[in-house]
Amino acid sequence: MASVAQTLGTGTAGTIQNDESIVVRFAGDSGDGMQLTGGQFTLSSALAGNDFATFPDFPAEIRAPQGTTFGVSAFQINFGSGAIDTPGDAPDVLVAMNPAALKTNVGNLKPGGLIIADEGEFGARNLAKAGYEVNPLEDGSLAKWQLVKFNISQLTLEAVKPFGLGNKEALRCKNMWTLGLALWMFDRDRQPLIDWLNGKFKKNQVLADANIAALNAGHAYGETIEIGGQVKRHHVNPASVAPGLYRTITGAEAVAFGLVAGAQLASMPMFFGGYPITPASSILHYLSNLKEYGITTFQAEDEIAAIASAIGASYAGQLGVTSSSGPGIALKGEAIGLAIMTELPLVIVNSQRGGPSTGLPTKTEQSDLYQAVYGRNGDAPLPVIAARSPSDAFDCAIEAVRIAVQYMTPVMLLTDGYIGNAAEPWAVPDMSTYKPFPVKFLDEVPEAGFKPYSRDAKLARPWVKPGTPGLIHRIGGIEKQVDTGHLDYSPANHQAMTDIRKAKVDGIAHGVPEQDVTLGAAGGKLAVVGWGSTYGAIHQAVSRARAKGLDVSQIHVRHIWPLPTNLGELLKSYDKVIVPEMNTGQFKTVLRDQYLIDAKPVNKVSGQPFTIAELEAAIEEALA
Amino acid sequence: MNDMTPVKTSPKDWETDQEVRWCPGCGDYAILKAVQRTMPELGVKPENTVFVSGIGCSSRFPYYMETYGFHTIHGRACAVATGVKLANPELDVWIITGDGDALSIGGNHTMHLLRRNLNCQILLFNNEIYGLTKGQYSPTSREGTKTPSTPFGSVDRPATPCAFALGSGARFLARAIDTHKNLPNVLKAAHAHQGAAFVEIFQNCIVYNADVFADFTDKANAAPNQLWLEDGKPVLFDGGNKGIALDRDKLQLKVVEVVDGDWQAAGVIVHDVTNRSVAHMLIELRLQDGFPVALGVIFDDPRPTFDSAVIAQNVAVSKGKTPDLQGLLAKGQTWTVEKENTVFG
Ligand code: SF4
């Protein structure tokens, strides 16, 4: 069977090729609207019933100089009729809106893949900005791919001419023209997009009409080039998914919704203290719009104030939540220790990005695991949960809230830039199937008398709201006496309190599910152990390796700290363990430390997610 | 407070059973007593009162008050208190901090709390030194202060807490002295103010910076060097023999002699707590320039508070909206799969 890439450009006119899955990458200048194009194409894929995964890949600069390679913004989508776990290793189709977009993205295009280039943007200036001496569309350097070029800019200008827009505004419709062509190529209905444009430009019908005209023109152009047989149409059948209501969701939305759901299940108002940071700010944005859910959002003066105010809110009887990315989490470190010491519930979300220091603000990485598990002064145990995908982030956020309020502890929820921005289809959950865990404040003096640091079966101390008569007490970051909570520096007491804090967090492992084998058998030659956003790539790689008859299983860990009680035994039932991570081997070190097993690292720190092929190679190497 | 009926308490009701651990003779003792004496007069309930502190000698204060208390981390009391107050605006929040805590490590939070105008009282114990860490100079130490970290004398210029507060947008400024009988009156005025009430208390650190304020706090120096302000009253000191007038040519304050009590003839100004321009000038008066130290309520001109604005907006934008999580999750770009593979947009 010819690969998708091979058939893309060479079809016969009038036929539509059926494919299982296709990877398309839209790349252009930051100002070209590629994220919007990708987002709308994603919706169209959803409505066509495909499963999909997306990967928005944008520059750190807000408005990088036009035409430069560092100003390129890209959006990749993998859609298919089977289960799709990753945005795809390499695109079958690359839409390049200018030379810089071509230059930075063509290297990854599958051999035989299709390039659609806007040749109107390949003038001398743009070529120079991208560092091309000769026009790559003319010099044969793209020979190993199928190249289709036309002047999208010019065609767009012509299409929107009747609407009398200025040149700049008219050119802004380029992305809709391109989207129209893509809709034609992949046999998609235009109507939902037309509805969406009418809604988006409600207040400016001319703009709506111009964009719709561009969309239609792109679509019509497809019909024309089809006549020339340059580009072939493709159809991807709907994926077989369980009946129900679906929506697209990004990790940032899922975290926000999960926090709202968690607060509701806990019967608690939520206080969210945040400070703007890429890629975590969107959680603050989402929650700021949901005040009717009993949510107070507070944009603090800095990261420290963001967490300190959340701690203050938890102390006063709300669910305190804060979120950030690595550099901000570093600033919050001392305050996390305060929440551990005062034993107050708190959820801390870390949307990880490339580090250290400012690092790669818009790129993804998993390199804050040490920071989450170990990164504080003193013996400061902190439960850590990692979400594996955008939709999983919803359940993880609920779980973080549950642990925080039931164990009176701060909890760290790890996501990353990839999960935060990527979209996937999500079967909207039925909230009535979630078990509530309402918080019970202590509101009267217990029979045995009130002790602020007395313990329940989970070793959690009582949560008392200031304002409650009879339960006046003081807390703080200084070591406190077992039970009474009075200041106490004595050696035996510090030993006892350190032991209790550790035992409490260790005990959480008894309240979470045992580790399952995500794919494959318990025991065997090789376990691929992952955590966080590498889930999809590992899943595909393991499933392909198993299809080839290799004895390999996937184990994907949600509870990073404390680890599930059976994980050690489970890992010891395999001859070999490899741990793919987007860092230099952090979880691998934790596993080695906890279980004295010879876990081997598979690392990638390029700011890009693993490809399936990379992991397949790692599996084959481990089994060789 | 919801329930405005004054509650009857005695100073004893505000004392804890905890052993007070300040150095003997520390000014903090006098402040603690003054606060415990003042609380009954405010008619508030101990359980509705929260003392939040940072780190430093002064920040041990909450342990000695029979109220809810939170001894937080260095510099962050204002930030924690903001969360407390926003989560439950019914609570009466007092922040206890020091010159290092509020103006050095926590300067950012102090500035923003004042700018936002959180409804609370901030008591800044200014002893011009780091006591708890054994005597390093602080952001309010005068130039030339010799300490273990500045053995040859400090070379940086000190901050003026009230100037910092006013510049940050504070709507209430007052000054008091740890052992002075007027402290409770200042505390009462601070409590009565709706919004962030900033009170600088000159506090004697007997161990590391003894008598640094003696030039104006000693009995012998009090009359000529203490300028106690009262709203609507002429700005007089030294037993009424001197007053503060406006030098209209230089647009600054000057000291004038008052003969036979005729302050009007001497051009003495009348204190108006809502006059921000004069407040600026009053807090900058310095002993070394021949002025007395301005004390009491310097500025008091309330504005809407941050917490009330946050709550008001929460209520306003929630109006008519029923929280419906299930509906929220199902919003946006949705589609229904009826049977397998049949999609409805
Ligand atoms: S070091 Fe100074 S400020 Fe601290 S308790 Fe002793 S006397 Fe008071």
Side-chain angles (χ1 to χ4, degrees):
Chain A
M1 196 182 87
S3 79
V4 173
Q6 279 160 345
T7 60
L8 270 164
T10 57
T12 349
T15 59
I16 296 185
Q17 167 90 26
N18 255 307
D19 294 297
E20 275 178 15
S21 70
I22 297 180
V23 180
V24 181
R25 190 168 175 95
F26 298 93
D29 206 63
S30 310
D32 284 342
M34 291 297 99
Q35 301 304 324
L36 196 83
T37 310
Q40 289 309 307
F41 189 77
T42 303
L43 174 61
S44 156
S45 305
L47 294 178
N50 300 139
D51 194 9
F52 60 85
T54 72
F55 179 44
D57 190 9
F58 32 71
E61 289 73 19
I62 301 298
R63 291 268 185 274
Q66 228 182 345
T68 55
T69 51
F70 52 91
V72 172
S73 176
F75 187 100
Q76 185 165 316
I77 175 167
N78 181 7
F79 54 99
S81 55
I84 298 291
D85 285 329
T86 78
D89 284 8
D92 298 293
V93 180
L94 170 66
V95 179
M97 302 300 283
N98 70 6
L102 179 72
K103 181 155 201 178
T104 48
N105 288 286
V106 77
N108 201 28
L109 185 65
K110 274 187 200 152
L114 175 67
I115 301 167
I116 298 176
D118 178 4
E119 66 178 340
E121 289 292 324
F122 280 68
R125 255 189 82 196
N126 276 348
L127 286 167
K129 275 196 221 165
Y132 279 118
E133 280 172 15
V134 272
N135 188 345
L137 304 183
E138 314 287 352
D139 69 355
S141 61
L142 304 173
K144 68 169 166 164
W145 298 289
Q146 305 289 325
L147 174 64
V148 180
K149 51 185 177 175
F150 25 75
N151 195 332
I152 297 179
S153 307
Q154 189 56 41
L155 290 162
T156 304
L157 288 178
E158 278 163 24
V160 304
K161 208 172 189 173
F163 303 97
L165 303 179
N167 196 54
K168 219 172 149 189
E169 266 190 321
L171 279 176
R172 282 227 185 94
C173 300
K174 257 191 336 190
N175 62 337
M176 285 303 123
W177 194 99
T178 314
L179 186 59
L181 179 70
L183 295 183
W184 171 81
M185 255 184 92
F186 299 108
D187 192 24
R188 296 278 175 73
D189 184 10
R190 263 170 297 161
Q191 195 54 45
L193 271 301
I194 292 170
D195 295 345
W196 176 77
L197 284 167
N198 275 322
K200 181 175 161 73
F201 296 110
K202 237 192 332 243
K203 295 203 179 103
N204 192 338
Q205 196 54 46
V206 176
L207 274 187
D209 292 343
N211 275 286
I212 291 165
L215 184 83
N216 287 334
H219 195 269
Y221 196 79
E223 303 280 352
T224 328
I225 52 173
E226 186 192 25
I227 296 163
Q230 274 183 292
V231 177
K232 192 172 163 8
R233 298 185 85 179
H234 290 259
H235 181 84
V236 174
N237 279 327
S240 48
V241 289
L245 180 67
Y246 286 78
R247 59 167 289 165
T248 60
I249 193 152
T250 64
E253 284 172 303
V255 167
F257 291 155
L259 290 169
V260 178
Q264 288 212 341
L265 293 165
S267 303
M268 291 286 294
M270 186 205 305
F271 176 94
F272 184 94
Y275 184 77
I277 185 169
T278 304
S281 305
S282 33
I283 299 174
L284 169 63
H285 303 169
Y286 288 126
L287 291 174
S288 297
N289 273 309
L290 300 175
K291 299 195 196 300
E292 69 270 28
Y293 290 84
I295 298 168
T296 299
T297 53
F298 171 56
Q299 182 178 316
E301 58 272 25
D302 60 24
E303 294 284 1
I304 299 171
I307 184 169
S309 60
I311 292 171
S314 278
Y315 172 64
Q318 294 207 1
L319 173 67
V321 181
T322 188
S323 98
S324 189
S325 189
I329 300 291
L331 285 167
K332 295 180 197 288
E334 186 193 12
I336 296 174
L338 177 68
I340 290 171
M341 198 67 163
T342 52
E343 303 190 44
L344 286 168
L346 179 72
V347 176
I348 308 144
V349 184
N350 180 358
S351 307
Q352 300 167 94
R353 66 190 213 187
S357 185
T358 306
L360 292 79
T362 60
K363 306 293 176 193
T364 196
E365 209 162 273
Q366 297 182 298
S367 46
D368 296 344
L369 184 132
Y370 286 160
Q371 183 192 46
V373 177
Y374 303 124
R376 287 160 297 285
N377 64 304
D379 281 304
L382 177 72
V384 180
I385 299 174
R388 64 165 65 157
S389 66
S391 53
D392 186 48
F394 179 78
D395 287 336
C396 285
I398 294 175
E399 178 70 345
V401 173
R402 181 189 71 82
I403 291 175
V405 299
Q406 289 189 340
Y407 291 84
M408 294 293 282
T409 178
V411 178
M412 175 91 70
L413 170 60
L414 294 176
T415 69
D416 59 32
Y418 168 57
I419 291 181
N421 293 322
E424 65 178 11
W426 184 46
V428 175
D430 176 0
M431 283 317 297
S432 67
T433 61
Y434 286 77
K435 195 169 163 228
F437 42 86
V439 166
K440 178 89 186 77
F441 289 96
L442 184 66
D443 53 9
E444 55 184 19
V445 182
E447 257 175 46
F450 169 56
K451 293 191 178 121
Y453 278 74
S454 59
R455 308 278 163 183
D456 66 8
K458 292 185 163 81
L459 296 180
R461 74 178 191 91
W463 196 358
V464 179
K465 281 191 221 182
T468 312
L471 300 179
I472 281 177
H473 67 286
R474 282 128 322 250
I475 59 170
I478 294 190
E479 186 60 285
K480 41 196 62 56
Q481 206 168 55
V482 172
D483 289 344
T484 68
H486 296 324
L487 302 197
D488 191 340
Y489 297 148
S490 70
N493 182 70
H494 180 53
Q495 180 76 53
M497 283 301 273
T498 303
D499 293 346
I500 291 171
R501 284 188 289 265
K502 179 176 187 310
K504 179 174 88 169
V505 170
D506 286 348
I508 293 168
H510 299 290
V512 304
E514 290 209 330
Q515 181 63 47
D516 59 352
V517 178
T518 319
L519 182 62
K525 283 208 178 111
L526 176 67
V528 185
V529 182
W531 65 280
S533 71
T534 52
Y535 172 80
I538 297 177
H539 194 73
Q540 284 297 322
V542 169
S543 121
R544 287 183 197 178
R546 290 179 61 80
K548 285 187 221 158
L550 298 179
D551 179 5
V552 53
S553 303
Q554 179 188 18
I555 293 172
H556 210 76
V557 182
R558 171 188 277 185
H559 288 275
I560 303 295
W561 200 267
L563 292 161
T565 50
N566 66 326
L567 183 62
E569 283 315 304
L570 182 61
L571 294 185
K572 283 172 189 164
S573 67
Y574 296 92
D575 299 345
K576 282 185 175 171
V577 171
I578 59 171
V579 187
E581 297 175 86
M582 294 185 285
N583 60 42
T584 55
Q586 301 188 7
F587 193 46
K588 172 266 306 172
T589 305
V590 172
L591 293 177
R592 285 185 179 194
D593 168 61
Q594 292 298 304
Y595 304 125
L596 292 176
I597 56 165
D598 186 17
K600 291 270 198 291
V602 177
N603 306 126
K604 181 174 186 181
V605 279
S606 64
Q608 302 290 327
F610 277 109
T611 63
I612 301 165
E614 285 166 344
L615 294 175
E616 274 186 275
I619 291 168
E620 276 168 30
E621 194 190 307
L623 287 173
Chain B
M1 294 314 87
N2 262 351
D3 181 6
M4 297 301 281
T5 358
V7 182
K8 269 205 167 29
T9 57
S10 74
K12 272 251 162 273
D13 296 327
W14 299 84
E15 291 173 15
T16 59
D17 57 356
Q18 299 295 295
E19 187 191 340
V20 183
R21 298 192 189 191
W22 289 308
C23 308
C26 174
D28 291 350
Y29 284 96
I31 303 173
L32 177 63
K33 279 276 168 254
V35 172
Q36 287 167 339
R37 265 209 324 273
T38 307
M39 299 309 287
E41 296 188 44
L42 304 178
V44 295
K45 291 181 187 161
E47 68 263 24
N48 279 342
T49 307
V50 184
F51 277 80
V52 183
S53 64
I55 293 290
C57 292
S58 57
S59 288
R60 293 295 183 91
F61 201 93
Y63 291 114
Y64 312 134
M65 290 296 300
E66 186 59 15
T67 66
Y68 282 92
F70 200 162
H71 180 209
T72 70
I73 44 179
H74 204 12
R76 318 304 167 201
C78 286
V80 173
T82 301
V84 171
K85 188 73 184 176
L86 290 181
N88 184 358
E90 305 288 311
L91 297 170
D92 191 10
V93 175
W94 297 74
I95 294 167
I96 305 292
T97 184
D99 36 318
D101 195 55
L103 297 177
S104 205
I105 192 166
N108 193 30
H109 310 305
T110 310
M111 169 170 85
H112 289 281
L113 180 141
L114 294 169
R115 164 181 79 77
R116 295 187 183 109
N117 197 26
L118 190 82
N119 193 9
C120 65
Q121 295 72 241
I122 308 169
L123 310 187
L124 189 156
F125 298 14
N126 183 8
N127 56 16
E128 298 190 359
I129 205 81
Y130 282 95
L132 198 62
T133 50
K134 301 200 190 316
Q136 299 82 2
Y137 84 119
S138 90
T140 54
S141 298
R142 293 160 214 182
E143 270 178 87
T145 302
K146 286 195 172 147
T147 74
S149 60
T150 50
F152 309 108
S154 61
V155 296
D156 41 339
R157 301 208 307 160
T160 308
C162 282
F164 173 88
L166 194 59
S168 302
R171 307 303 305 181
F172 179 99
L173 291 180
R175 276 193 190 136
I177 298 167
D178 48 9
T179 52
H180 198 283
K181 63 173 183 352
N182 277 358
L183 176 55
N185 294 331
V186 168
L187 296 174
K188 273 186 269 180
H191 189 262
H193 175 86
Q194 293 296 305
F198 183 84
V199 183
E200 177 188 13
I201 303 172
F202 298 105
Q203 175 245 324
N204 191 33
C205 169
I206 199 164
V207 174
Y208 294 111
N209 214 10
D211 299 329
V212 71
F213 304 117
D215 288 352
F216 65 97
T217 56
D218 268 10
K219 271 223 162 66
N221 301 328
N225 292 336
Q226 292 182 9
L227 175 68
W228 286 96
L229 299 161
E230 266 186 87
D231 191 31
K233 300 268 174 70
V235 181
L236 295 169
F237 64 104
D238 206 4
N241 293 321
K242 289 181 181 167
I244 298 292
L246 182 66
D247 180 335
R248 286 170 198 275
D249 292 333
K250 294 187 178 157
L251 271 186
Q252 63 189 30
L253 300 178
K254 61 180 180 186
V255 174
V256 291
E257 303 286 335
V258 177
V259 184
D260 296 334
D262 191 351
W263 56 269
Q264 275 146 318
V268 170
I269 56 173
V270 172
H271 187 48
D272 171 6
V273 287
T274 66
N275 189 326
R276 194 159 181 267
S277 311
V278 176
H280 264 292
M281 294 193 260
L282 286 168
I283 56 186
E284 296 288 0
L285 298 181
R286 305 192 309 167
L287 280 180
Q288 60 263 50
D289 300 329
F291 287 100
V293 175
L295 297 160
V297 178
I298 300 165
F299 180 58
D300 182 359
D301 186 17
R303 289 284 184 275
T305 67
F306 179 55
D307 33 304
S308 60
V310 169
I311 305 297
Q313 192 183 58
N314 281 354
V315 170
V317 302
S318 303
K319 220 179 192 149
K321 294 185 195 163
T322 327
D324 169 18
L325 181 58
Q326 196 64 53
L328 175 70
L329 300 183
K331 250 201 235 153
Q333 306 180 334
T334 59
W335 64 97
T336 307
V337 178
E338 295 255 314
K339 291 180 295 196
E340 284 212 346
N341 295 354
T342 322
V343 179
F344 299 89

